[in-house]
Amino acid sequence: MGSLLIRGVDIVDGTGSPRFRGDVSVVGGRITEIAGPGTVAGVERVIESESLVLAPGFIDMHAHSDLHLLTDPGHFPKVSQGVTTEVIGQDGLSYAPVDEAALAVLRRQIAGWNGNPVDLDLSWRTVGEYLDRLDAGITPNAAYLVPQGTLRLLVVGPDKRPATAAEIDRMAELLAQGLAQGAVGMSSGLTYTPGMYAGTSELAALCRVVAAAGGFYAPHHRSYGAGALDAYAEMIGLAHDTGCAVHLTHATMNFAENRGRAPELLAMIDAALAEGCDITLDTYPYLPGSTTLSALLPSWASSGGPDAVLARLDDPGERERIVADVTVSGSDGCHGVTVDWETIQISGVAHAGLDRYAGRTIAAIAAAEGVAPVDVFFDLLRRDELATTILQHVGHEENVRAIMRHPRHMGGSDALLVGERPHPRAWGTFPRYLGHYVRELGVLGLEECVHHLTGSPAGRLRLRERGLIRPGYAADLVLFDPETVRDTATFDNPKQQARGIEYVIVNGEFAIDAGKPTGALAGRALRMDPTLKETR
């Protein structure tokens, strides 16, 4: 694209400062000038509107688009929300670094997150090779976290056992290589196998590697239900003991045990910040969570990989143990809480013959078929080969709002893009912040919210010259109408484009032009700049 002038708009620059009216010029993928209205001339294209706000492009701090970016590089569900950068490699499980055996396991294990496309070339093996593949053509930018569960699968294997000292050293070596090749940090999924089998000391050894490289640790910690505060305390303790920056990913307080307890979490975070720990967090602006149905299994039942899990489901004695954990004692896969089948709604299946279950709860399916809910659970796991995705209706609005207000909060969709009825956050997260929580409820001011979605995450990622509207910065920009912007995706009809997002620009190229996708593939992999030390 040639030169562009965005004239006479309200500029919300990503710092949290008050908006101001002005002109912004873009040349060669960079912001070249910010001036008073009507002072810039001599450009090839002009966008002028008194009703629109210009902001930095939104940064999704928790995305599950690791394969979707390659199978559908236009990435319309996210770009249409104003997202210009995503952070992938989340929850401790992704596709680099790998070998042939680990990749085969991962493709099956997280098919519910990312699908398992048979026609996609997954020939990369290192983090650097994966990032190079992204550089070949995607619409938004992407930053990558080295997944700790993948490291453990690659080095230790899928079994539930402590890692040896030599194995920890090897994982640390692979982690350091991934960080050197451009990853921005490390993720964990401590309710997912095999990452959940790591003890605190093992995690600490890896966090020290991340800290030395200038990255951050993004843990999905061990429980969001029973024992949630203890699980958060373990992660905050890692920040204190290792000096590693910690970003608490989808930092929610869910289930009946945690209603109204967000202030306790925030007090813990504030105390750690006062002691000099570097802690940030992200959330999605919805109540239900989303994961795979197999995630509800107890950790012992998930040991050994997909084939071992499926074999246990066919063993009457093992099934009895699973039933006891899931319905009586509280499965660690379900955050130490017994499963309430009324809250478990099927959002997607891999096998077409199971499509009729999408959108229905396990309880409703069981009632219609005259069987016990746990039998539906086992039947779906086996017939869909562990690939079923679910919505879990366990959140509390007062907790969502309290956490959202924290100054170290950022936005993350945690969006799964597969399935017939995905969580509406896949299409609506960022407009929902701006429409529902800013305009309608006033939980955040507009400038404050934009800071949470742009400048603050860019600082966490240590991305140089992104996340703010400043001369010399990359032209990742979004133009939206603050009076009409809103999410239209619902739980019944989730694949709906948001309203009010008029233009989205990535590295100076229009990705969304007058509300329509352009097909431009101007995004690239963003590698950490370790010399940029401060969060904004």
Side-chain angles (χ1 to χ4, degrees):
M1 187 184 75
S3 56
L4 167 69
L5 173 63
I6 303 169
R7 175 185 289 161
V9 294
D10 279 348
I11 299 168
V12 177
D13 66 6
T15 65
S17 300
R19 73 190 80 180
F20 59 94
R21 187 165 288 271
D23 295 351
V24 174
S25 61
V26 174
V27 179
R30 294 273 168 179
I31 298 167
T32 54
E33 188 176 357
I34 303 171
T39 58
V40 182
V43 297
E44 297 175 34
R45 180 174 178 183
V46 176
I47 295 175
E48 186 169 13
S49 174
E50 293 185 358
S51 65
L52 297 181
V53 163
L54 178 69
F58 305 136
I59 297 175
D60 187 343
M61 286 296 291
H62 191 106
H64 286 283
S65 308
D66 307 47
L67 297 186
H68 194 271
L69 283 165
L70 300 175
T71 59
D72 186 10
H75 212 38
F76 184 67
K78 302 303 284 298
V79 175
S80 64
Q81 298 181 48
V83 172
T84 59
T85 295
E86 291 190 310
V87 186
I88 55 177
Q90 297 284 358
D91 291 339
L93 292 167
S94 189
Y95 305 93
V98 290
D99 59 16
E100 197 70 27
L103 180 61
V105 172
L106 288 163
R107 291 185 67 159
R108 295 178 64 193
Q109 181 175 350
I110 53 176
W113 294 0
N114 301 302
N116 189 9
V118 296
D119 56 349
L120 178 64
D121 175 14
L122 281 73
S123 58
W124 65 80
R125 292 295 176 265
T126 68
V127 170
E129 290 168 349
Y130 174 70
L131 297 180
D132 288 344
R133 182 69 66 85
L134 296 178
D135 277 336
I138 53 177
T139 294
N141 304 306
Y144 188 72
L145 295 164
V146 179
Q148 170 259 331
T150 296
L151 294 177
R152 207 172 204 277
L153 177 65
L154 190 59
V155 175
V156 182
D159 298 329
K160 183 178 182 178
R161 67 170 178 83
T164 67
E167 288 168 339
I168 293 173
D169 287 345
R170 178 57 178 156
M171 286 188 282
E173 180 182 14
L174 290 170
L175 172 60
Q177 291 172 2
L179 293 164
Q181 291 165 4
V184 297
M186 179 181 75
S187 75
S188 282
L190 299 177
T191 63
Y192 300 121
T193 61
M196 68 191 304
Y197 302 142
T200 306
S201 61
E202 180 180 323
L203 296 174
L206 299 178
C207 282
R208 291 186 181 96
V209 175
V210 176
F216 68 96
Y217 177 41
H220 165 133
H221 52 275
R222 299 190 195 275
S223 176
Y224 291 82
L229 291 175
D230 288 340
Y232 279 114
E234 180 190 13
M235 300 301 102
I236 293 171
L238 286 169
H240 183 274
D241 295 343
T242 69
C244 186
V246 168
H247 180 80
L248 300 169
T249 193
H250 42 54
T252 58
M253 292 289 288
N254 291 334
F255 301 93
E257 289 83 345
N258 293 311
R259 181 183 292 276
R261 299 190 70 187
E264 296 176 61
L265 167 62
L266 300 177
M268 290 171 55
I269 292 171
D270 288 339
L273 292 170
E275 293 176 357
C277 295
D278 185 356
I279 309 289
T280 53
L281 64 155
D282 69 63
T283 64
Y284 45 82
Y286 297 87
L287 301 188
S290 179
T291 186
T292 58
L293 187 63
S294 62
L296 304 182
L297 290 166
S299 59
W300 65 263
S302 296
S303 178
D307 287 332
V309 175
L310 291 169
R312 290 187 186 100
L313 299 180
D314 288 330
D315 183 301
E318 300 284 64
R319 284 170 66 109
E320 187 174 341
R321 286 184 64 197
I322 293 170
V323 170
D325 276 357
V326 169
T327 65
V328 179
S329 61
S331 165
D332 53 1
C334 191
H335 309 278
V337 176
T338 56
V339 176
D340 177 356
W341 302 111
E342 295 279 358
T343 69
I344 307 301
Q345 181 181 14
I346 305 304
S347 58
V349 294
H351 291 257
L354 303 173
D355 286 344
R356 67 186 183 279
Y357 294 125
R360 301 166 66 189
T361 66
I362 294 283
I365 296 167
E369 298 187 357
V371 298
V374 74
D375 291 329
V376 175
F377 174 60
F378 285 127
D379 185 56
L380 276 172
L381 289 174
R382 292 172 66 245
R383 293 169 64 192
D384 210 25
E385 299 181 88
L386 311 180
T388 305
T389 53
I390 61 170
L391 305 181
Q392 198 166 8
H393 295 267
V394 293
H396 303 290
E397 181 68 21
E398 65 271 34
N399 287 342
V400 170
R401 296 189 194 186
I403 294 169
M404 187 185 298
R405 292 187 183 101
H406 195 274
R408 303 286 280 178
H409 165 267
M410 303 168 191
S413 70
D414 193 17
L416 304 182
L417 296 168
V418 300
E420 291 301 311
R421 301 277 287 272
H423 197 301
R425 65 195 185 194
W427 289 75
T429 292
F430 294 86
R432 183 169 175 81
Y433 269 116
L434 298 169
H436 185 58
Y437 284 99
V438 171
R439 185 181 63 246
E440 295 175 0
L441 299 180
V443 174
L444 297 170
L446 180 62
E447 291 88 347
E448 180 185 17
C449 184
V450 168
H451 175 63
H452 285 208
L453 306 182
T454 62
S456 186
R460 170 80 291 162
L461 296 168
R462 293 181 177 169
L463 299 176
R464 186 172 294 280
E465 298 177 348
R466 291 184 189 270
L468 302 176
I469 297 178
R470 286 181 178 169
Y473 273 51
D476 293 343
L477 301 167
V478 57
L479 276 153
F480 64 91
D481 186 335
E483 298 303 318
T484 64
V485 64
R486 69 179 182 90
D487 58 310
T488 65
T490 65
F491 289 99
D492 289 332
N493 195 4
K495 298 181 181 180
Q496 299 296 310
Q497 182 180 357
R499 294 181 184 171
I501 306 288
E502 300 298 329
Y503 301 92
V504 181
I505 299 168
V506 181
N507 294 317
E509 299 286 338
F510 282 93
I512 301 293
D513 194 341
K516 305 295 184 183
T518 68
L521 301 178
R524 60 183 180 84
L526 301 181
R527 287 139 170 108
M528 178 180 59
D529 183 350
T531 66
L532 187 60
K533 295 296 185 184
E534 298 297 326
T535 57
R536 298 175 184 143

